[in-house]
Amino acid sequence: QVQLVESGGGLVQPGGSLRLSCAASESIFRFNGMGWYRQAPGEQREFVATITWAGNTNYADAVKGRFTISNDNAKNTVYLQMNSLKYEDTAVYYCYADKRLNLYWGQGTQVTVSS
């Protein structure tokens, strides 16, 4: 079973930055892709960003130009660099990994944007 451990969440002011990490229990090269979803209060869980083992990326319109997803195969880790944070970015952020036809999820990490 794949285990994903997220870290880096916390409280940040609007316009600030935060970097989330997702460490996998095995080489991320074995995954089709990894990425992030988030769930804000009163909202459905929404797609944020994804990256393949080859480095191809995709972003939700709401975060384009502000968030950057990247990976480090040596550390079995995917990152989400979040810049220019807005109040509406407040959510629980969940890491996922796509391995064959199975999806694996992290436990989530809280990001709160508040002045």
Side-chain angles (χ1 to χ4, degrees), residues 2-104:
V2 175
Q3 294 181 348
L4 304 173
V5 179
E6 297 127 319
S7 62
L11 177 65
V12 66
Q13 294 185 341
S17 298
L18 209 59
R19 189 178 77 160
L20 306 183
S21 298
C22 176
S25 60
E26 62 185 74
S27 175
I28 60 177
F29 180 78
R30 302 169 73 175
F31 304 147
N32 290 332
M34 295 182 68
W36 299 86
Y37 277 67
R38 67 185 183 185
Q39 187 166 20
E43 302 289 339
Q44 299 290 321
R45 186 173 298 189
E46 66 174 346
F47 168 77
V48 176
T50 190
I51 187 169
T52 70
W53 66 267
N56 300 310
T57 60
N58 191 33
Y59 298 92
D61 289 340
V63 306
K64 286 181 179 177
R66 300 188 298 118
F67 290 11
T68 302
I69 189 170
S70 61
N71 57 15
D72 186 336
N73 292 338
K75 296 182 179 179
N76 296 344
T77 300
V78 166
Y79 303 97
L80 184 68
Q81 178 67 45
M82 305 183 294
N83 298 326
S84 302
L85 284 162
K86 305 174 180 179
Y87 293 116
E88 52 263 44
D89 294 319
T90 295
V92 177
Y93 284 71
Y94 297 92
C95 176
Y96 75 89
D98 177 6
K99 185 177 182 181
R100 295 188 180 181
L101 297 179
N102 300 119
L103 287 177
Y104 300 89

